[in-house]
């Protein structure tokens, strides 16, 4: 296992400390969350079950014998665990590298606590080095791409990806996102955009960062 994966795994296992008995756990998507689901399986008898942000995570959870509930039956959750492609010091994130951004954003919005699990390579001062994913309705591809160019980004259609919601993804290169909240609002307001992978308004509450010397915990400042 390479160092990055080791650090992802370390942070994922540290997340177990934040789980209370009887809880329904919101579960994100991605390689870090793969390790989290492995860890979660070791305490599966003390949790009630999970809700999942993707078909991939649903099958991983079910393979581990963890019951997955349909999100539509809930209007709030106590806790959500997910990773990020980038996270800044204000706990704002770029997500969607795994194309699950829309369901992730829904679960993040309805959760009282968002615990972001990352290895230290994900920490940045300014968001935007990682291409910003946007889930869009397929027929809006050209229009949204044109509007993204107007705000200084370089959109690239992500080939061979259909999201769990039946949509497509564009990844936006060369953005230096100095004001993530207004950028999130601006892109979300374009017709055809389902979700932009900027998690700025609803940022993380706690970040568990896997480093060589251990787990660093950062809490959101009010
Ligand atoms: C999926 C996500 C993931 O959290 C993000 O891509 C990080 O993934 P990984 O844990 O594989 O580095 O947003 O849509």
């Amino acid at each position: 296992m390479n160092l990055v994966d080791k650090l992802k795994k370390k942070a994922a296992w540290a997340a177990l400390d934040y789980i209370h008995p009887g809880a329904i756990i919101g579960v994100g998507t991605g390689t870090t969350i793969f390790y989290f689901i492995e860890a979660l399986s070791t305490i599966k008898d003390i949790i009630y079950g999970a809700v999942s942000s993707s078909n991939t995570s649903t099958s991983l959870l079910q393979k581990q014998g963890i019951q997955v509930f349909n999100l539509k039956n809930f209007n709030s959750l106590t806790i959500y665990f997910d990773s990020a492609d980038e996270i800044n010091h204000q706990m704002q994130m770029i997500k969607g590298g795994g194309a699950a951004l829309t369901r992730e954003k829904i679960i993040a919005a309805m959760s009282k606590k968002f615990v972001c699990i990352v290895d230290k390579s994900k920490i940045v001062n300014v968001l935007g080095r990682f291409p910003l994913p946007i889930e869009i309705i397929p027929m809006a591809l050209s229009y949204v791409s044109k509007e993204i160019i107007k705000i200084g980004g370089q959109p690239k259609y992500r080939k061979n990806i259909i999201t769990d919601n039946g949509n497509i993804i564009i990844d936006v290169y060369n953005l230096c996102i100095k004001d993530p909240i207004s950028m999130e609002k601006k892109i979300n307001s374009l017709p055809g955009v389902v979700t932009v992978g900027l998690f700025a308004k609803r940022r993380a509450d706690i970040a568990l960062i896997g480093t060589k010397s251990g787990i660093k915990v950062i809490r959101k400042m009010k």
Side-chain angles (χ1 to χ4, degrees), residues 1-145:
M1 192 185 283
N2 64 33
L3 178 65
V4 167
D5 278 324
K6 276 187 193 149
L7 299 182
K8 285 181 178 184
K9 189 170 178 176
K10 216 188 228 186
W13 280 76
L16 293 187
D17 289 348
Y18 294 80
I19 294 176
H20 295 292
I24 294 181
I25 312 294
V27 177
T29 298
T31 53
T32 313
I33 291 304
F34 171 82
Y35 296 123
F36 174 70
I37 292 172
E38 269 184 357
L40 195 61
S41 73
T42 64
I43 58 158
K44 68 179 171 205
D45 295 333
I46 71 152
I47 62 167
Y48 196 75
V51 292
S52 159
S53 62
S54 64
N55 296 340
T56 304
S57 289
T58 298
S59 35
L60 289 170
L61 285 159
Q62 287 170 337
K63 258 189 217 145
Q64 294 289 358
I66 298 168
Q67 187 169 6
V68 181
F69 295 98
N70 192 326
L71 191 65
K72 73 174 186 207
N73 299 318
F74 297 86
N75 58 25
S76 76
L77 283 174
T78 48
I79 195 151
Y80 177 48
F81 295 89
D82 200 354
S83 187
D85 298 300
E86 281 185 354
I87 180 164
N88 68 13
H89 300 282
Q90 290 72 45
M91 313 284 268
Q92 299 166 318
M93 296 160 283
I94 286 184
K95 293 186 44 52
L101 60 165
T102 298
R103 295 184 188 196
E104 291 172 341
K105 210 177 246 199
I106 295 168
I107 302 184
M110 60 194 271
S111 298
K112 294 200 175 76
K113 197 176 275 177
F114 183 154
V115 181
C116 183
I117 311 165
V118 287
D119 68 275
K120 77 171 187 19
S121 70
K122 304 286 185 68
I123 313 291
V124 297
N125 290 326
V126 180
L127 298 171
R129 194 183 53 206
F130 188 91
L132 177 65
I134 309 176
E135 177 167 353
I136 62 172
I137 304 282
M139 68 182 287
L141 176 61
S142 298
Y143 169 70
V144 173
S145 300

Side-chain angles (χ1 to χ4, degrees), residues 92 105 180-181 184-185 198-204 220:
Q92 299 166 318
K105 210 177 246 199
I181 291 183
E184 180 178 18
K185 213 165 157 188
L198 260 177
F199 286 54
K201 189 161 174 269
R202 204 299 175 233
R203 51 198 171 132
K220 178 173 77 180

